[in-house]
């Protein structure tokens, strides 16, 4: 059985949460150093394995955000009240991860993406960073996943 799956065959949410936290740290490091995604994955992979997280998901997030960050920044721009470079680096990294998940990981429900982003920013970001991230992601999800959002909101 794949270690990322729980006993019922579904995705293990704890392992995914750990993968997102590690991806946030990796993407933050990429933002600060300009290191390429493959190098960051190699640096974090041994720590990731020790933490028993979803390594494949971690790698997908880091490579996906690392290679598409300009595209993600452009997509996020209409929902931001400032330039992406002016957003706190932790919140910027989390917004990029969530934007990647919302746009490229449609297998993950939008509510899960937003909830996980908020938990992670509350843990690592500034005191009120989660409020900003929530506002941006609510608008982005409504635009990018309109049918899913509408169905859950009863529209």
């Amino acid at each position: 059985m794949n270690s990322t799956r729980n006993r019922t065959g579904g995705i293990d949410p704890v392992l995914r949460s750990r993968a997102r936290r590690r991806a946030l740290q990796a993407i933050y490091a990429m933002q600060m150093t300009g290191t390429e995604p493959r190098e960051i994955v190699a640096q974090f992979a041994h720590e990731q394995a020790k933490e028993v997280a979803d390594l494949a998901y971690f790698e997908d997030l880091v490579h996906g955000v690392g290679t598409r960050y300009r595209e993600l920044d452009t997509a996020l721009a209409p929902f931001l009240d400032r330039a992406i470079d002016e957003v706190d680096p932790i919140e910027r990294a989390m917004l990029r991860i969530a934007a990647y998940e919302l746009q490229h990981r449609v297998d993950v429900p939008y509510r899960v993406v937003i909830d996980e982003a908020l938990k992670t920013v509350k843990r690592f970001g500034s005191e009120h960073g989660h409020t900003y991230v929530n506002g941006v992601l609510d608008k982005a999800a409504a635009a990018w996943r309109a049918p899913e959002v509408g169905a859950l909101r009863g529209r």
Side-chain angles (χ1 to χ4, degrees):
M1 181 185 289
N2 184 331
S3 65
T4 63
R5 301 206 175 261
N6 64 24
R7 282 180 245 172
T8 62
I11 299 300
D12 187 325
V14 172
L15 298 182
R16 281 278 173 98
S17 290
R18 288 180 187 155
R20 284 183 186 93
R21 285 194 306 266
R22 298 301 290 156
L24 175 70
Q25 294 168 335
I27 291 163
Y28 175 83
M30 283 184 349
Q31 290 174 167
M32 303 313 280
T33 64
T35 306
E36 292 295 315
R38 69 183 181 336
E39 293 175 46
I40 288 287
V41 166
Q43 290 172 15
F44 276 75
H46 72 283
E47 295 173 32
Q48 183 72 5
K50 289 178 191 171
E51 195 177 293
V52 189
D54 187 335
L55 184 58
Y57 203 73
F58 164 80
E59 291 178 358
D60 181 51
L61 293 176
V62 174
H63 284 293
V65 172
T67 58
R68 294 182 171 99
Y69 73 91
R70 286 183 185 92
E71 164 194 320
L72 297 170
D73 291 353
T74 300
L76 284 165
F79 311 111
L80 301 174
D81 63 353
R82 63 193 93 155
I84 190 77
D85 291 339
E86 295 174 12
V87 174
D88 174 86
I90 293 290
E91 281 107 41
R92 181 182 337 133
M94 194 69 249
L95 285 169
R96 287 172 169 166
I97 291 168
Y100 175 78
E101 287 186 288
L102 287 170
Q103 291 188 336
H104 300 281
R105 293 299 307 236
V106 295
D107 57 310
V108 180
Y110 89 94
R111 298 290 308 160
V112 171
V113 172
I114 293 173
D115 289 345
E116 287 289 317
L118 297 180
K119 284 182 205 171
T120 306
V121 170
K122 282 180 182 178
R123 182 171 178 177
F124 296 106
S126 64
E127 186 176 349
H128 298 289
H130 67 282
T131 304
Y132 183 72
V133 168
N134 187 47
V136 172
L137 294 180
D138 275 345
K139 293 177 210 164
W144 300 337
R145 293 210 188 166
E148 182 184 357
V149 172
L152 285 175
R153 292 183 180 168
R155 290 183 202 153

